[in-house]
Amino acid sequence: MFRPHSGRSGTLQALTQARADVAPERTPNPSTLTDALVRVEKMARGAALVIVVSDFRGDDGDTWTREMRRLLHRHTGLAVEIRDPRELALPDVGADLALVDPETGRHVRVDTSSKRLRRRFAEASAAEREQLRVALRGTGAEHAVLSTEGDWLGPLAAALRGARHRAGWRPARTLTPGGATA
């Protein structure tokens, strides 16, 4: 975690930190979304655009929504939900499948050939995503959904433009297609 800065140096610092956070030699950060939101609130002094990128899965309860509401009382928020279509439907692989919950380590065996089970799984996934949409709306954050399948850059750029517009921010400078500033 680092104190945010604007401009080119701030962007480079954010990209460097993001790359370091996903480097294979690092162990995953065991903190929760709630912990991250509390740290951001402590660091962000002036009004800022806070972008939270997550799949918003896991057992963090309702505490993260409370912390996000508190954070977005002073800041503009954009919640970028990362969805993997493979997590929204259970495929029919024609046999029992051993599944492990990555958050709890709990093991379960499921019969993927059961149409009823696959339908219930899809319904539960849809209900979970709807609950998330409602929770994010309650925090005051804009909500963008990006998929691991297909183009994500266009939807992300549109969400950032929308968040910037709603916050009333204007860029300090504009880059033209040739790379010159306007």
Side-chain angles (χ1 to χ4, degrees):
M1 186 73 58
F2 59 91
R3 196 168 294 285
H5 300 283
S6 62
R8 180 179 167 87
S9 65
T11 301
L12 290 174
Q13 181 183 19
L15 291 173
T16 301
Q17 182 67 42
R19 183 173 185 200
D21 287 345
V22 297
E25 64 274 3
R26 287 184 50 127
T27 58
N29 186 347
S31 68
T32 64
L33 179 54
T34 301
D35 295 336
L37 293 169
V38 168
R39 284 195 312 263
V40 170
E41 184 177 15
K42 289 177 181 176
M43 291 174 55
R45 299 289 177 221
L49 172 61
V50 176
I51 303 171
V52 178
V53 180
S54 175
D55 63 359
F56 295 95
R57 291 180 178 264
D59 191 22
D60 204 6
D62 292 328
T63 56
W64 72 266
T65 57
R66 183 176 53 250
E67 291 302 327
M68 188 174 275
R69 272 193 302 275
R70 184 188 331 243
L71 178 64
L72 299 185
H73 181 72
R74 289 187 6 219
H75 306 286
T76 300
L78 173 60
V80 179
E81 177 190 357
I82 306 299
R83 282 189 192 167
D84 186 338
R86 295 172 297 180
E87 294 177 338
L88 303 177
L90 187 62
D92 181 359
V93 296
D96 282 357
L97 187 62
L99 302 176
V100 179
D101 182 334
E103 301 290 329
T104 66
R106 187 173 144 234
H107 292 256
V108 64
R109 295 189 78 75
V110 297
D111 177 10
T112 62
S113 64
S114 168
K115 289 181 182 180
R116 181 174 177 255
L117 176 65
R118 290 194 317 272
R119 186 187 76 248
R120 287 181 35 217
F121 186 92
E123 289 170 354
S125 291
E128 180 185 41
R129 298 296 89 189
E130 176 61 17
Q131 289 173 347
L132 174 62
R133 187 186 67 75
V134 169
L136 287 171
R137 185 177 357 151
T139 68
E142 295 295 323
H143 182 200
V145 178
L146 303 182
S147 175
T148 58
E149 185 176 82
D151 179 35
W152 57 267
L153 191 55
L156 178 60
L160 290 170
R161 279 192 304 272
R164 187 185 75 197
H165 175 73
R166 281 180 284 290
W169 294 341
R170 299 287 179 257
R173 61 189 184 130
T174 304
L175 291 177
T176 62
T181 58

